[in-house]
Amino acid sequence: MPHFDDFYAAKLRGSLGVTDAESVLDLRGANRATAEASLREMIERSRFAKGKTVAVRLDPPPEGGGETLFQPAGRLLLDAKRRGLVERLQTLPAQDGLGFYVALTGRAERPGA
């Protein structure tokens, strides 16, 4: 088996990160209400635009443990995936920090348009 550079091996494994996304939604430092509102707005706006990819960045857990936005953000994005608004959802690779790589479905093309 040939040797792959880490970059190409990650691409084969599907580890898409911040540099692969078309835009970044940086929620580091945001409180839960602000983060959820930002995610909902991103998802809602995507319904009226072409699909795109977004890296959603979140704060790492505080020193000694504690709550993060990872679980609430993940639930919200997973719900959007179930509703068909998110095409692809995965965690960011470790080197990019805590967050998600999201491929938004975008507006459905109208036949004959």
Side-chain angles (χ1 to χ4, degrees), residues 8 24 40 42-43 60 70 76 81-83 87 95 99:
Y8 295 107
V24 176
R40 283 190 180 96
M42 175 189 76
I43 293 164
F70 187 81
L76 200 145
K81 184 171 171 58
R82 287 184 188 125
R83 294 184 296 143
E87 184 177 313
Q95 70 267 17

Side-chain angles (χ1 to χ4, degrees), residues 32-42 76:
R32 182 175 177 167
T34 301
E36 287 179 348
S38 295
L39 287 168
R40 283 190 180 96
E41 183 178 345
M42 175 189 76
L76 200 145

Side-chain angles (χ1 to χ4, degrees), residues 14-99:
S15 298
L16 297 168
V18 172
T19 58
D20 302 299
E22 294 171 278
S23 62
V24 176
L25 178 59
D26 193 348
L27 298 176
R28 294 176 293 183
N31 63 35
R32 182 175 177 167
T34 301
E36 287 179 348
S38 295
L39 287 168
R40 283 190 180 96
E41 183 178 345
M42 175 189 76
I43 293 164
E44 182 63 24
R45 284 182 176 207
S46 76
R47 294 178 50 221
F48 305 103
K50 72 177 187 87
K52 70 175 186 174
T53 57
V54 180
V56 179
R57 301 189 83 180
L58 303 169
D59 283 323
E63 190 68 33
E67 290 187 19
T68 68
L69 294 174
F70 187 81
Q71 194 172 39
R75 281 191 196 125
L76 200 145
L77 291 168
L78 189 57
D79 180 58
K81 184 171 171 58
R82 287 184 188 125
R83 294 184 296 143
L85 302 171
V86 170
E87 184 177 313
R88 182 176 186 163
L89 175 63
Q90 66 186 62
T91 57
L92 290 176
Q95 70 267 17
D96 285 348
L98 192 62

